[in-house]
Every structure is written in C-alpha cells, then in structure tokens.
Amino acid sequence: MKVMIVNQQPPVTGSRNGDKILKTFKKVYIEITSVCNLSCSFCPPTERAKSFIKVEDFAKRLDEIKSHTNYIYLHVKGEPLLHPKIDELLDIAHEKGFKVNITTNGTLIAKNRHKLLGKPALRQMNFSLHSFDGHEGSTNREGYLREILSFVRAAEEYKVIFSFRLWNLTQDNATNLQKSRNRETLEIIEKEFGLDYRIEEKVVPGSGVRIAETVYLNQDIEFQWPSLTAPEDDGKGFCHGLRTQAAILENGTVVPCCLDGEGVIDLGNINQASFSDIINGERATNLIDGFSRREAVEEMCRRCGYRQRFGA
C-alpha cells in the first residue's frame, strides 16, 4: 500500500504590484467562529470573545484575499459546523472561485449533512477523530463514527477528499489505553472499507495512508498549541508562516499561521486595513526576513514546538 500525503496545492509565488510584493499563499485560514461544542484536553479554550462571522464580513474577506490564494480553510479555533449559515458561506466561496477545506470534530455532521452535500466549493473535510477520546463527555464511539462514515459514503459521488485524523500518539508511542481506543476506532473504519490489513501497520506517523479512492487516514503525535507560557528555545530554525499560509481570526485579526489561535502575533486587523497592506507591514516583513535567516524574531515562534519540525 503506497503512503500518500494529502493537501498538495500549487506552490507559493510572488509578483510586484507597485512597491509591494503580491504574495500568493497555498492557503488562507478564515476562522468563521471562535465557539466550539467540545472541551478537548489537547485544545485550550480560546480567551477571545465567542462569536460567529457575519455572512457579509465573510464575503468581504474573500474579496480581500482573492488575489492571494485559491484555497481557504474555515477554521483556526472553533467548530466550523456550528456556524448556522455554513451552507451560505460555501455558496459565497464558490461564487468567488475558492476551494474550501473544513476541519471538524465530526459531532455535528448528521445535523449539517444537507448543508454540505453537493456544494461545489467543498474540496476536503478533515475529521479530527481524536476529539472523541479527547473530550471527557464522549459516549457511543460507534454511533459517532457511523454518522461520519455515512456522510463520507453519501459524498463519494462529489469527489470530496476526506482525511480521518488520529493525532493522539505520544513521542514514545501511545499508552496501552490509547492504543486500545484507537484500535476500536480503526476497526470500525477497516470494516466499513473492507480493508484486509490493520491501518496502523501501514500508516506512517506524520503522514497518511489511502484507504479508499478519496479517503485517507493520518496518525501523528498529540498536537500542542504554542503558548507564551511554553519553554523558549534559541529561536533557530524555519517556518512556513506567511510563506505558504496566513490566517484571519473571526474578529478580523490577521496572524501568520493557523497555530496562533489567540492572535498573539497581531499583524493588523482586516476591518481597519487591507489584507495586502497587513501582510506587507513591518511586523510581517520582519517575521519573514527573520526566518530567511533561520531565526525566529517573534517570542511566540520561539515557544512553538511545531516550528522545530522544519529543522534548523
């Protein structure tokens, strides 16, 4: 079985537009809500106000970024399927020529399937299956997975890409309890797709294995959100923030990547300045130039363990 990695998109390019560089990103994250319906151990609750993006503001943000990317992700923090007008947001994205990726905990998929099925903008859905065990109040694993699998089967004709995520391993492999829980989850998936092998024997941590035409499963170590309270390193290294991606929080704050869930590296607010001006601003330029020197100039970046994956 060949191991495959999803999320392959066109490379980043840049061109001159007057005195500014017109940056083109692989993706821009547009957070549509800061609210979540779960309280998972691996995801600290946001300290920002709980709110949902207005449809008109979403449309304006797409206009702001349309010359910078073709791909948007509807999350940073929050559960995107909580947005009551998710179907309208997908329609607007299609009208403006965007392809959409959604990452969800999957608990609301049955309630929202009619809002998602057949939407031409929907390119990929990532199901964070580790949310089930990460949330203390979770019950009925099989029922949870059956609703997700039912949606995946119904969406087959639309060629949507699906990624099942189990990001709950530890550096020294999962505990026996977590291995047992993962086995229960994987067994249900294996039976659904008629697999004659155990998924964990094929998947490479940090990558993915293809289990059906447009269905993948990814396993990785437990995700750690960066924090100003985390240990600070020497700052040496590299990151793709503002090179392949940027993010806009629900309140309009532009940040360099999808890991800055609290807007610590506040590059500017899209309600007060244009996206182009913000990503060409002094703070953004300093961050990019720093990583060109393999140096993290922002404190948050020096406390981000994910940055270390890219080496020195």
Side-chain angles (χ1 to χ4, degrees), residues 3 25 27 48 71 75 78 98-99 116 118 121 124 133 146 163 172 219-220 222 259 276 296 312:
V3 174
F25 300 112
K27 53 198 171 187
R48 294 181 283 121
Y71 297 88
H75 66 279
F98 290 93
K99 289 297 182 181
L116 302 171
Q124 178 170 331
D133 291 317
R146 286 299 169 199
S163 175
D172 55 352
Q219 281 196 284
D220 208 339
E222 182 174 313
L259 304 186
S276 294

Side-chain angles (χ1 to χ4, degrees), residues 280-296:
N280 282 286
E282 181 178 3
R283 191 171 187 179
T285 300
N286 288 341
L287 185 148
I288 296 170
D289 290 346
F291 280 125
S292 293
R293 304 188 302 269
R294 299 303 190 266
E295 175 187 344

Side-chain angles (χ1 to χ4, degrees), residues 22-31 53 57-74 93 96-100 245-249 252-255 270 273-279:
L22 180 60
K23 298 182 180 71
T24 304
F25 300 112
K26 286 184 178 180
K27 53 198 171 187
V28 173
Y29 292 82
I30 299 184
E31 183 185 73
I53 197 170
D57 289 337
F58 179 76
K60 290 177 183 177
R61 290 176 192 182
L62 294 192
D63 288 338
E64 287 278 345
I65 68 170
K66 64 183 178 182
S67 59
H68 297 278
T69 192
N70 294 319
Y71 297 88
I72 57 174
Y73 286 54
L74 301 187
K96 295 182 180 295
F98 290 93
K99 289 297 182 181
V100 177
Q245 64 171 276
I248 307 172
L249 303 182
T253 300
V254 177
V255 292
I270 203 165
S274 72
F275 183 74
S276 294
D277 284 345
I278 291 171
I279 61 173

Side-chain angles (χ1 to χ4, degrees), residues 5-284:
I5 301 175
V6 295
N7 290 334
Q8 298 299 320
Q9 295 156 1
V12 178
T13 59
S15 61
R16 282 284 174 187
N17 181 13
D19 294 327
K20 298 176 182 176
I21 291 289
L22 180 60
K23 298 182 180 71
T24 304
F25 300 112
K26 286 184 178 180
K27 53 198 171 187
V28 173
Y29 292 82
I30 299 184
E31 183 185 73
I32 61 175
T33 179
S34 59
V35 182
C36 189
N37 62 323
L38 299 185
S39 180
C40 296
S41 58
F42 56 81
C43 187
T46 181
E47 298 176 2
R48 294 181 283 121
K50 292 177 170 33
S51 54
F52 295 82
I53 197 170
K54 296 178 180 178
V55 172
E56 56 268 27
D57 289 337
F58 179 76
K60 290 177 183 177
R61 290 176 192 182
L62 294 192
D63 288 338
E64 287 278 345
I65 68 170
K66 64 183 178 182
S67 59
H68 297 278
T69 192
N70 294 319
Y71 297 88
I72 57 174
Y73 286 54
L74 301 187
H75 66 279
V76 175
K77 284 290 192 74
E79 168 51 53
L81 297 191
L82 275 174
H83 200 291
K85 297 184 178 180
I86 184 70
D87 50 344
E88 292 185 39
L89 302 187
L90 288 170
D91 288 341
I92 292 171
H94 176 62
E95 290 169 7
K96 295 182 180 295
F98 290 93
K99 289 297 182 181
V100 177
N101 289 29
I102 295 176
T103 295
T104 172
N105 59 44
T107 58
L108 303 174
I109 194 64
K111 180 179 179 180
N112 286 277
R113 61 184 290 153
H114 67 288
K115 295 183 179 182
L116 302 171
L117 284 175
K119 292 296 184 183
L122 186 57
R123 171 185 177 269
Q124 178 170 331
M125 290 195 70
N126 307 312
F127 289 98
S128 298
L129 302 186
H130 48 277
S131 299
F132 184 87
D133 291 317
H135 179 68
E136 187 175 345
S138 296
T139 59
N140 190 6
R141 183 188 308 273
E142 182 160 1
Y144 162 73
L145 291 170
R146 286 299 169 199
E147 288 186 344
I148 292 173
L149 292 169
S150 173
F151 176 81
V152 170
R153 288 302 197 183
E156 283 181 328
E157 64 179 292
Y158 304 108
K159 304 302 181 183
V160 177
I161 299 169
F162 292 100
S163 175
F164 298 143
R165 294 176 172 179
L166 276 175
W167 291 359
N168 55 12
L169 304 180
T170 60
Q171 292 288 1
D172 55 352
N173 288 322
T175 63
N176 288 333
L177 175 59
Q178 192 56 62
K179 284 182 178 179
S180 175
R181 290 170 171 172
N182 284 352
R183 176 92 295 271
E184 292 176 25
T185 294
L186 294 174
E187 185 174 3
I188 293 171
I189 294 173
E190 289 162 2
K191 288 181 178 179
E192 174 66 30
F193 292 99
L195 304 183
D196 59 359
Y197 59 87
R198 286 192 168 206
I199 291 173
E200 62 265 54
E201 296 173 355
K202 300 286 187 179
V203 71
V204 177
S207 182
V209 60
R210 183 178 178 179
I211 59 177
E213 182 179 0
T214 60
V215 183
Y216 302 79
L217 188 135
N218 294 267
Q219 281 196 284
D220 208 339
I221 60 173
E222 182 174 313
F223 180 79
Q224 298 291 327
W225 285 91
S227 167
L228 291 178
T229 62
E232 184 173 358
D233 61 28
D234 62 7
K236 301 300 181 182
F238 181 77
C239 181
H240 293 282
L242 288 181
R243 292 178 185 270
T244 65
Q245 64 171 276
I248 307 172
L249 303 182
E250 190 281 331
N251 62 12
T253 300
V254 177
V255 292
C257 71
C258 63
L259 304 186
D260 190 358
E262 294 304 315
V264 174
I265 307 176
D266 184 347
L267 303 176
N269 194 290
I270 203 165
N271 297 318
Q272 301 164 357
S274 72
F275 183 74
S276 294
D277 284 345
I278 291 171
I279 61 173
N280 282 286
E282 181 178 3
R283 191 171 187 179

